[in-house]
Amino acid sequence: MSNLVDITSDNQFSSLISKKDAVIVLDFWAPWAEPCKQMNDVIAELAGKFSSLQFLKIEAENFADISEEYEIAAVPTVIVLKGGKIVERVEGAKAAEVTNVVAKHAKGVSGTKATGDADVKPAKDLNSRLKELIESANVMVFIKGTPSQPRCGFTRQLIDILAEQQVKYSSFNILMDEEVRQGLKAYSNWPTYPQMYVKGELIGGLDIVKELVASGELKETIEEAS
């Protein structure tokens, strides 16, 4: 059975949340609320990443009793249950916060037996990981969302420019990794997103890219680095 389930009845919901000690993520949404579309995408991505957790999508207005039980005042609202108790609540389309919260509660949850500390490999040094990501493609962009589903206007503009300029690039969705999102700001001393790198070197954000396009230097910069 999929770990991402659309709730279709109160009984189904009761059955799924009755699992003892399970970590369950509740996604309360409404089809008319535009921010819910973004959050539903985030939940789908998280479900794919954290297969040991159970994710339940609840159309709030169709399940008034459930919404009342969890005091849903606005959508989207994401709630994390552990052993049937609320341990986290995030109201609004706060993708990074939801990602952080889910990742935190996914630690130690596994479909297999838990391993001892001695078996856990140390996390890769963050700066090494960032360098590896930056250099993983000739042109690398760090964006909010994906090229097909940008989650902010600046990202959308950058994606459109790269398409118009016929630039081949790879991308990283910083909304799915809070460590990268915060770490890259310090690593490159650039406080905002999107960020564009060519051959491992920071080009800058949207305004810089626009300036390079206007001056005709963008393609030149990329070709020189090839």
Side-chain angles (χ1 to χ4, degrees):
M1 187 176 92
S2 169
N3 69 320
L4 176 58
V5 177
D6 275 290
I7 294 302
T8 56
S9 72
D10 291 289
N11 288 341
Q12 178 199 29
F13 178 79
S14 298
S15 174
L16 288 170
I17 67 164
S18 65
K19 299 172 185 175
K20 190 178 180 183
D21 297 329
V23 174
I24 300 170
V25 181
L26 309 181
D27 171 25
F28 287 90
W29 69 289
W32 47 262
E34 192 65 30
C36 289
K37 294 178 183 177
Q38 173 189 339
M39 193 51 59
N40 285 349
D41 289 341
V42 172
I43 291 295
E45 289 182 44
L46 290 173
K49 188 175 181 180
F50 300 106
S51 58
S52 57
L53 305 188
Q54 178 72 67
F55 293 79
L56 307 181
K57 285 175 61 183
I58 304 121
E59 193 172 335
E61 292 176 345
N62 285 357
F63 296 96
D65 290 343
I66 297 173
S67 295
E68 185 176 345
E69 180 183 351
Y70 289 94
E71 299 179 343
I72 303 304
V75 289
T77 292
V78 174
I79 289 174
V80 179
L81 302 178
K82 194 168 185 178
K85 294 182 179 179
I86 297 174
V87 290
E88 301 280 358
R89 175 189 292 264
V90 180
E91 296 182 350
K94 300 172 184 173
E97 188 175 342
V98 168
T99 300
N100 237 9
V101 161
V102 171
K104 179 176 75 174
H105 289 285
K107 288 178 181 176
V109 177
S110 175
T112 59
K113 64 178 183 178
T115 57
D117 289 344
D119 298 324
V120 178
K121 294 180 181 178
K124 184 181 290 186
D125 174 73
L126 178 58
N127 283 350
S128 297
R129 185 178 172 221
L130 293 173
K131 186 173 187 292
E132 194 175 283
L133 280 170
I134 289 168
E135 296 177 351
S136 64
N138 197 38
V139 178
M140 187 73 186
V141 294
F142 292 82
I143 58 178
K144 293 182 178 180
T146 64
S148 59
Q149 292 184 316
R151 298 218 174 102
C152 79
F154 298 126
T155 289
R156 184 176 292 106
Q157 288 182 59
L158 177 63
I159 297 306
D160 288 346
I161 288 170
L162 295 178
E164 288 165 6
Q165 298 294 310
Q166 298 182 318
V167 175
K168 292 181 179 179
Y169 64 94
S170 292
S171 66
F172 184 90
N173 180 3
I174 52 104
L175 296 181
M176 296 305 297
D177 195 319
E178 189 66 14
E179 186 179 49
V180 169
R181 181 183 186 176
Q182 298 302 333
L184 193 59
K185 292 178 184 179
Y187 182 88
S188 296
N189 194 28
W190 195 270
T192 58
Y193 290 100
Q195 293 182 15
M196 178 173 169
Y197 297 76
V198 175
K199 210 72 175 177
E201 296 294 326
L202 176 67
I203 296 301
L206 178 63
D207 289 343
I208 301 296
V209 173
K210 283 181 174 178
E211 288 174 13
L212 290 173
V213 170
S215 66
E217 294 178 74
L218 182 65
K219 285 188 176 179
E220 188 180 312
T221 301
I222 293 169
E223 285 168 4
E224 284 178 0
S226 298

